[in-house]
Amino acid sequence: TPTRGGTGFYFGKVQGRPAIMTNQHVLPDFATISKSTADFGYDRPGNEIRIKFLPEEFLFKDEGLDFAVVAVDAESLKEMLDFPLTPAHSDPKEHDPVVIMGHPGERPLEMSFRKITQRGDAPFFEFAYNADTEAGSSGSPVFDESWKVVLLHHAGSQDGNFGISMAQIMKKVDAFVWHHAGEQVYYVGKNHSFDSGDKLEYNTRGVVVGPC
C-alpha cells in the first residue's frame, strides 16, 4: 500500500472474479486499495509479478474479524490461479502445530513453525500462537498439518502472535456472497425483452435459457 506493506494470498474466485485475502487493516478503504498493488511469486527478489486490485469489481471487508477480500487483475498470473489455498472449516486446538507463510519486513517469502498456545472465543475468535512474525506479516495464512488455512494472522506483540479463525471468516464470506447473489443483473442482449440465448451478467456470465 502507499503507507505500509502486508501479506495476502490468492483466495480463489468470488462471484467469478479472482480475489486476494488479507487483513482489513492492511487494505482499510477503497481509496487505499485503489492505490495499492500485490506482488505474486515473491520468493526471491526480482521474481515477483505485480498486479492491480479491482475493488470496483468485488470488495468485502470486515473490521471485527479483520479481513478483506478484493478482486485483482489476474490476467498475467495464468496457471498460478489453478492452486487457491484451501480454507479450514473447523478451528485448531490448543497445542496444534501451525505454519505461517508470509513476508515479514516485506522480505521474500518466509516460513515459521510453532504451536497454538490459546484458543480464540467469540466475538473475535482470536487464536494465539508462538510462531515468529514481524511487521509485514499481517494477512499471512496460518496453516495446519494438512496445509489448510486455519487462521488469518493479524497482530503480534510481546505477548504473542494472533490470528483470526478462518472458519468464522468463511461463514461471513459465504453469507455475504449468497445474500448478494440476486443483485445487479445486467442485461446485455440486443432486444428490450429477454429471449432465449440472450446474455445476463452478474460478475460471472450466464445465458437466458428461456423467455423471461
Side-chain angles (χ1 to χ4, degrees), residues 4 22-28 66-68 138-139 153-155:
R4 62 181 301 166
T22 186
N23 288 141
Q24 186 270 342
H25 75 258
V26 173
L27 298 174
D66 194 18
F67 74 86
S138 292
H153 177 74
H154 87 121

Side-chain angles (χ1 to χ4, degrees), residues 14-18 30 54-59 70-73 184 203:
V14 182
Q15 295 178 345
R17 299 294 193 264
F30 192 95
L54 300 174
E56 67 278 5
E57 295 195 2
F58 183 86
L59 169 62
V70 191
V72 291
D73 181 5
Q184 293 184 330
N203 286 337

